[in-house]
Amino acid sequence: MNQFFAGAALIAAIATSGCAHAVDPELARAISAIKAIDNHAHPVRPTAPGDKVDDEFDALPVDSLEAQSDPIRQRGKSPIVTAAHTQLYGSGTKADVMKAHPSDYATWVLDRAGIETMVANRVAMGPGLPAPRFLFVPFADALMFPLGTAQLIKNPDQRAFYPLEDKLLQRYYTESGVPGKPATLGEYLAKVVTATLERHKKSGALAEKYELAYLRTLAIGNPTRAEAERAYSGSTGGGDYTALQDYIFRYIALECGRLGMGVHIHVAHGGGGYFNTSWANPMLLEPLLNDPALRKTNFVMIHGGWPWTREITPLLTKPNAYLDYSEQLSFDTPHNVAEALRGWLAYVPEKVLFATDAYPFSADLGWEEAAVVASNASREALGRALTAMMRDGEITRERAVELATMVMRDNARKLYGLK
Ligand SMILES: [Zn+2]
């Protein structure tokens, strides 16, 4: 299949799915042709049979969790997944295509999905995911837990997740050339935290990512340095570990601003049957967004705050607040997501970013199929929102195309200073 065929498949997917007239056909054509910047995804490095399988696509992979009641759209063998497989591989197999593209498989996938640049949220990059088609966003959560995590585990999902943060912090110690936990908080911040952030920045990182809502509440306090120091060195157990975590979070946010990196935060319901949804409420971030000291740091609320997609809207007026609408379309319909999008586009449209959250969910739904499913469905949701605004006389078709281009690529381009 050539590039044109992939484009045609996208148009067909947008214009014919659901209600026949949900998306203005001319607008659908324009949206399908936009080469997107995908703000958030987890691409997997292509490896040859026999090689070590890539496990760095996420710091907290959800496949290690107890079973939950999966939303219908995420269950295997769904028609949208089968259609995505066909859009990618035709009647062939994934293995055949990987063999035919030994050096450019991952970028070949991006071409099929209409994605020019995929921002890869990974522990590390590596061969097979070349810049500038793939850009890097590493994880910062582990840096918040210098006192270990065993004492924080309250349920089976946390038992799966927290030790992975210990492991990642150990990796950051090693990469920073530090043998173990430094004696003082000052040393820890300079020699481990700043060293890690600067290393990430040097390797091309656009932002640091937090999966914090899987571990604890997003309500970040504003403790004093003395409180943080007491907790860091408190062998008597008298210190407040949460205060220390909050202090480190704010330190990292400040450093990201200094280094010109954004802060990405998972803000939405998440995977696993023990996920504490109320910890992920976007309104919990308001004190951070309202902190004058942090105004030089751009925060991107990953996944658009579902189910608080209305409540998140006023936060877009903060000059340093952005959101993407990744993940939502993996469990919700374009019709429903279009309603949320419409609210944001009518309010502060230059803060809204397209993203796929392409993830290796299962053998059937790899990151490749997930990228195609999300690319098609996200474009459809965007088309539906803009068509409704056109029909209500709020915008012209010309403005609709302009808004679509902003969401699909230009807003991200400006945010990260990409060409
Ligand atoms: Zn993600």
Side-chain angles (χ1 to χ4, degrees):
M1 290 197 301
N2 59 26
Q3 190 97 352
F4 170 76
F5 189 92
L10 279 177
I11 296 170
I14 296 169
T16 63
S17 59
C19 166
H21 301 293
V23 184
D24 175 85
E26 210 178 311
L27 181 61
R29 261 193 300 281
I31 292 176
S32 72
I34 300 171
K35 298 281 173 240
I37 297 175
D38 177 354
N39 184 65
H40 175 78
H42 304 270
V44 179
R45 285 203 296 106
T47 45
D51 286 356
K52 182 182 176 291
V53 176
D54 175 28
D55 62 358
E56 296 186 324
F57 56 83
D58 192 359
L60 302 178
V62 290
D63 54 9
S64 56
L65 304 183
E66 286 182 11
Q68 64 172 61
S69 303
D70 287 330
I72 283 182
R73 284 170 70 90
Q74 287 177 336
R75 297 177 193 177
K77 305 287 178 205
S78 90
I80 47 173
V81 175
T82 309
H85 189 89
T86 306
Q87 185 179 323
L88 278 161
Y89 307 114
S91 54
T93 67
K94 189 177 295 193
D96 289 342
V97 174
M98 288 182 93
K99 215 183 285 168
H101 291 267
S103 59
D104 69 339
Y105 173 73
T107 51
W108 179 90
V109 170
L110 294 193
D111 290 340
R112 315 316 294 165
I115 294 168
E116 182 175 323
T117 306
M118 178 174 270
V119 178
N121 183 204
R122 292 176 47 90
V123 173
M125 300 300 277
L129 300 174
R133 297 294 300 278
F134 291 90
L135 299 175
F136 182 34
V137 171
F139 294 93
D141 307 88
L143 295 165
M144 289 174 65
F145 302 102
L147 304 187
T149 61
Q151 65 275 47
L152 303 172
I153 295 169
K154 300 281 193 296
N155 63 51
D157 288 3
Q158 291 180 343
R159 191 164 301 125
F161 280 155
Y162 265 128
L164 298 172
E165 299 295 3
D166 293 335
K167 210 172 120 198
L168 185 53
L169 181 58
Q170 206 51 54
R171 179 173 177 160
Y172 288 161
Y173 280 149
T174 305
E175 290 175 358
S176 304
V178 170
K181 178 177 173 268
T184 67
L185 178 60
E187 281 177 276
Y188 177 72
L189 295 176
K191 293 183 179 168
V192 181
V193 178
T194 291
T196 298
L197 301 178
E198 288 183 344
R199 213 166 44 244
H200 287 166
K201 171 71 182 175
K202 219 175 190 175
S203 65
L206 299 182
E208 291 287 335
K209 165 78 186 305
Y210 284 97
E211 301 184 299
L212 205 55
Y214 280 94
L215 305 170
R216 51 154 282 178
T217 172
L218 292 182
I220 304 286
N222 197 1
T224 62
R225 172 78 174 218
E227 285 175 273
E229 302 242 1
R230 210 158 37 240
Y232 186 84
S233 52
S235 52
T236 56
D240 176 354
Y241 195 4
T242 305
L244 175 61
Q245 294 160 26
D246 293 355
Y247 187 87
I248 297 171
F249 180 98
R250 284 172 173 273
Y251 177 86
I252 292 171
L254 274 171
E255 283 289 79
C256 284
R258 177 179 71 83
L259 293 165
M261 292 197 286
V263 171
H264 285 193
I265 307 179
H266 173 110
V267 185
H269 176 68
Y274 291 96
F275 190 91
N276 199 336
T277 309
S278 63
W279 284 353
N281 187 332
M283 300 315 284
L284 297 173
L285 297 175
E286 201 163 28
L288 286 175
L289 297 170
N290 278 343
D291 186 340
L294 294 175
R295 277 287 157 99
K296 288 199 173 70
T297 304
N298 289 318
F299 292 91
V300 187
M301 296 174 281
I302 306 294
H303 313 316
W306 189 88
W308 293 279
T309 50
R310 280 171 70 87
E311 287 82 348
I312 203 171
T313 311
L315 298 182
L316 295 176
T317 57
K318 316 294 178 191
N320 55 343
Y322 294 76
L323 62 78
D324 78 29
Y325 63 110
S326 58
E327 190 198 37
Q328 291 196 20
L329 285 149
S330 81
F331 59 78
D332 204 355
T333 61
H335 170 273
N336 288 344
V337 177
E339 288 196 4
L341 266 170
R342 185 174 173 175
W344 302 331
L345 294 176
Y347 198 58
V348 188
E350 65 276 11
K351 302 298 206 49
V352 181
L353 312 174
F354 159 81
T356 62
D357 200 23
Y359 195 94
F361 290 101
S362 64
D364 292 329
L365 182 55
W367 76 273
E368 305 95 324
E369 287 88 354
V372 168
V373 167
S375 182
N376 291 346
S378 302
R379 288 173 206 255
E380 184 190 335
L382 183 59
R384 281 174 175 263
L386 293 168
T387 298
M389 292 167 80
M390 275 166 55
R391 295 209 171 124
D392 287 344
E394 295 168 17
I395 54 171
T396 61
R397 183 181 284 115
E398 197 184 8
R399 176 64 175 159
V401 172
E402 192 176 82
L403 286 170
T405 309
M406 286 162 58
V407 170
M408 296 300 296
R409 59 173 292 122
D410 281 351
N411 290 345
R413 200 170 52 73
K414 283 188 187 148
L415 171 61
Y416 303 118
L418 305 174
K419 295 221 173 73

